[in-house]
Every structure is written in structure tokens, then in C-alpha cells.
Amino acid sequence: MITSVTVAEKGDVLVCANGGEHDMRFHAVWLRDNAPDANTRSPQNGQRLISITDIPDDLVIRSAELAGGKVMVRFSDRDQDIAFEPDWLSAHSYDTAPAASGFRLAPDVEAWDQRLSNAMPCADFDALHDDPAVLLDWLQGLNRHGVAKVSAGPVESGALLDVASLFGYVRETNYGKWFEVRTEVNPVNLAYTGLGLQAHTDNPYRDPVPTMQILYCLENSAEGGDSIVVDGFACARRLHEENPEDFELLSQHCAAFSYEGSKGVALHSRRPMLECTPDGELTSVRFNNRSAAAFTDIPFDKMNAYYRAYRRLGELVDDPQMQVAFKLQPGESFIVDNTRVLHARKGYSGDGTRWLQGCYPDKDGMKSKLASMISEQGAQS
Ligand code: FE2
């Protein structure tokens, strides 16, 4: 609740008092850049119509007042007031204490361990398609935990695309629009054998990596072959708790990943295993023993320490307390945020069959679908 406004610093700053709480200060250039008027933002699509160079570098606020429930601001480059909504200003205040240093995740994310076994987001295939409330709840769980299951889907080749279409679009790669995961005689990838696979994120050799993965079960009568998921954010948090220097080594130096297993394919990337924003929020995990290349971007004096940190992260990934295991039945699938949640599979024998199909939907589609559903829900209530 903004109770009064004053112009300060010779017109460089607007001070909004809000009833005894901490005053909110806004710079003239920031306000001008974010002006909501029709000359600055398209009323049709909300996109900005001006560029930074359209704002004079000697811009000041000439006057400001509270009128009609809005904050009216007159800038030196315009002869009319621009109205700001007080609620919008409060929601976008940046006059706050800097974030504390240390391990940090996005506020809508929750790290988890083995205890998620009984609480993994899961919904019925038909209900997800028919009931928006079920889809919204499932998407919120998927966004929060980075993993979710779908049950009772059709046992049909290609049905995984009907899971992807719930929220987004599939990225095609050299493995195709979707790929088969079953035993092959001369596999181009170890995923296509009966070997157990250490928990990993897929395709860290791509830039950008596939941001989500769906694995959809069509047959699973082989002995073993259970699926395992591990929260890379939870492992990274434990690493940070145990030794912040280990976290720093893996986040401040680039690892390297590569794949050249098929003719005509040579994929290489150079990125940290733990990637953070400049202000310290962990945003992605890359971990894959099969496609890690020779690391050449760690200083000589730090290589042994780097490998110790890498080993400890691997031990945390392998720790059963960090893992959720399940065996998919035909028609069931699971989806992971591949920038965060690692997946693994126990080895399986040649008796019986195991046939999964996988594909890579993009996470921006999932986030967009979720945010638009929440916004529509807010508009209705
Ligand atoms: Fe995989």
C-alpha cells in the first residue's frame, strides 16, 4: 500500500512510502523503461516499443503524485504523466536486501530425496487430458520436484507424444523425434543394452541440453530394469553442506562432454557440472559418466581437488537415500527435468522384454503452460 510519493536525488529517484514499512526507491531510468503507457508497451501483446537508446541519458523525474489510486509520474522526456499501478510497483520493488550468499534454489523448487517415493506427482493419462484441474496440479508437482509419473496410458508406439502434447513441444535430435530404448545387438549408445546405468542427465554434450525427458514403457517383463530418479539439486545441496569448496570447484570450472557414437554426429560441450546464475542460484546439473570427455579447463593446481569433488558428487548420486526407484508397467511413463533430475536404470536380464520409448520436450513449454494456467485461474477467481 503506497501512502505517499516524493521525488529525490534531483529527480533521479522516486521514493514510495508504504505506511511505515520500508520505503521503496525506484530510479528514473528504471521507471521510464518499465512505463506501462501505450507509447512504451504495446497494448495488444505487452511487448516493449522503445529501446534503451530511446531513453535520454540525462532523464529525470519532473514530478510525481498519488492520484486516483495510481502513482502519476512526469518524466523530462514527456509532457504528460505516466500512471503506474501501486501494486505493480510493490510487486517489482528491487530496493531490498541482497540475497544471502550460500546455496540457493529458485523459490518454486523443492529438493527431495528417497522420501519422495510415496509422494511423487502422478496422474492418470486420461484425467490429464480431460481435466484441467488434474493437469494443473500435476504440472505444479512436476515443476516443483522436476519429476512426475503418468499412469494408465495406451500401450501404443508413439503414445509418449501424447504425454508431451499436454504441455509443450518435442525437440528432435539425431536420435529422432523419439527413440527406442531396448536391447540392440550393436548399440550406438549404451542405453540400448541391458547394462545398468549410473544415474545421469541425458545428452550433456548438447548445448543447450534437452531440458526434459519422457520415458514411456511399452513392455517390461524382463528381470530387473527398474527405473531410478535422483534429484541433482538435492545432491548439490548436500555437497555444499559438506564442503562449500567442492560445490565451488564443480560450479566455477567447466567440465567437458562429447558424443561421437554415430556416423555424422560429433557433439561437444564445455559447461560446469553445477551451473549457477551470477547471483548464486543453482540452475542446472550435468552429470553423465558415459559422455564425460577429458576435462581440460580446470587449473593444474586444482585438478585433484576437482576430482575429489566430482567423486563425492558421484557418491551422493549413488546413495540409495537419495534415490527413488520404481518399475514402470506398460502404459506408464515418467518425465524428468533433465537440467536437474538424474535418471538411472538397474541392469536387466535377457529373459522377457523391456521396451521403452523416450523423447525430449522443451521445459520452456512446460513452464509457459503452467504459468498461463495459473494466470487464467487467477483471472477467473
Ligand atoms: Fe538416459
Side-chain angles (χ1 to χ4, degrees):
M1 186 68 176
I2 294 175
T3 52
S4 68
V5 295
T6 49
V7 179
E9 305 286 336
K10 297 180 183 161
D12 186 43
V13 171
L14 176 75
V15 182
C16 298
N18 52 2
E21 290 180 37
H22 174 66
D23 288 351
M24 297 180 293
R25 297 171 297 170
F26 298 93
H27 292 93
V29 65
W30 185 94
L31 286 167
R32 183 67 193 84
D33 193 35
N34 290 291
D37 65 297
N39 293 314
T40 310
R41 288 268 176 185
S42 163
Q44 281 78 40
N45 56 36
Q47 294 199 294
R48 185 180 279 101
L49 299 166
I50 63 168
S51 72
I52 183 62
T53 50
D54 291 324
I55 302 175
D57 68 358
D58 58 354
L59 179 92
V60 292
I61 299 167
R62 292 227 188 279
S63 64
E65 62 174 340
L66 263 178
K70 306 206 186 238
V71 177
M72 308 300 291
V73 181
R74 185 162 299 207
F75 295 96
S76 55
D77 68 335
R78 294 274 294 277
D79 285 332
Q80 59 192 128
D81 289 348
I82 294 179
F84 289 83
E85 292 288 346
D87 286 350
W88 187 91
L89 289 171
S90 297
H92 293 84
S93 171
Y94 56 88
D95 193 4
T96 52
S101 58
F103 184 86
R104 201 152 63 81
L105 295 174
D108 60 346
V109 153
E110 190 180 319
W112 49 266
D113 58 21
Q114 191 272 336
R115 288 167 288 184
L116 189 72
S117 293
N118 300 321
M120 188 186 294
C122 182
D124 181 90
F125 183 93
D126 288 336
L128 284 167
H129 283 89
D130 298 341
D131 188 342
V134 172
L135 178 60
L136 175 58
D137 190 54
W138 182 81
L139 285 172
Q140 284 177 313
L142 174 59
N143 183 60
R144 179 162 295 279
H145 300 294
V147 63
K149 282 166 75 175
V150 179
S151 58
V155 185
E156 285 169 19
S157 176
L160 77 173
L161 298 183
D162 292 328
V163 176
S165 70
L166 287 165
F167 56 81
Y169 305 92
V170 170
R171 189 198 310 188
E172 195 162 347
T173 70
N174 54 292
Y175 298 119
K177 185 152 188 171
W178 79 73
F179 44 89
E180 311 290 340
V181 185
R182 56 179 162 187
T183 303
E184 292 182 5
V185 178
N186 291 309
V188 296
N189 192 304
L190 287 176
Y192 308 150
T193 68
L195 292 173
L197 300 175
Q198 188 189 25
H200 59 278
T201 58
D202 260 30
N203 296 196
Y205 39 76
R206 292 184 202 284
D207 185 11
V209 298
T211 45
M212 304 201 89
Q213 176 168 207
I214 296 171
L215 282 166
Y216 195 104
C217 177
L218 294 171
E219 296 173 6
N220 206 2
S221 60
E223 193 72 24
D226 292 17
S227 298
I228 292 167
V229 288
V230 182
D231 186 2
F233 283 1
C235 294
R237 183 171 65 186
R238 271 189 66 186
L239 188 75
H240 191 277
E241 284 166 358
E242 289 178 4
N243 187 350
E245 284 172 20
D246 282 355
F247 184 93
E248 201 169 293
L249 282 160
L250 298 186
S251 61
Q252 299 201 344
H253 299 285
C254 282
F257 301 94
S258 65
Y259 174 78
E260 297 191 13
S262 305
K263 191 169 170 17
V265 177
L267 291 158
H268 304 279
S269 76
R270 192 181 80 85
R271 285 286 184 278
M273 290 195 200
L274 306 177
E275 191 164 18
C276 298
T277 58
D279 56 356
E281 179 186 301
L282 179 63
T283 53
S284 65
V285 174
R286 293 176 184 79
F287 190 87
N288 191 318
N289 67 302
R290 284 169 292 141
S291 52
F295 304 150
T296 55
D297 293 295
I298 294 113
F300 180 87
D301 291 344
K302 293 185 176 178
M303 188 60 88
N304 274 335
Y306 184 91
Y307 262 91
R308 270 196 299 275
Y310 178 27
R311 177 191 305 278
R312 184 59 192 144
L313 181 61
E315 289 168 350
L316 292 169
V317 164
D318 290 341
D319 181 348
Q321 287 195 343
M322 305 301 283
Q323 303 180 339
V324 171
F326 49 89
K327 182 157 184 169
L328 288 180
Q329 300 304 318
E332 291 184 335
S333 56
F334 73 98
I335 177 162
V336 287
D337 176 344
N338 189 55
T339 67
R340 166 188 175 184
V341 173
L342 294 70
H343 59 282
R345 143 192 110 201
K346 292 182 181 167
Y348 61 97
S349 71
D351 299 333
T353 54
R354 185 179 190 273
W355 178 21
L356 272 58
Q357 291 182 325
C359 70
Y360 298 126
D362 282 327
K363 183 175 163 184
D364 58 356
M366 186 276 287
K367 301 280 281 189
S368 166
K369 178 76 178 176
L370 174 59
S372 65
M373 287 185 84
I374 290 171
S375 157
E376 280 165 26
Q377 191 185 51
Q380 284 164 9
S381 59

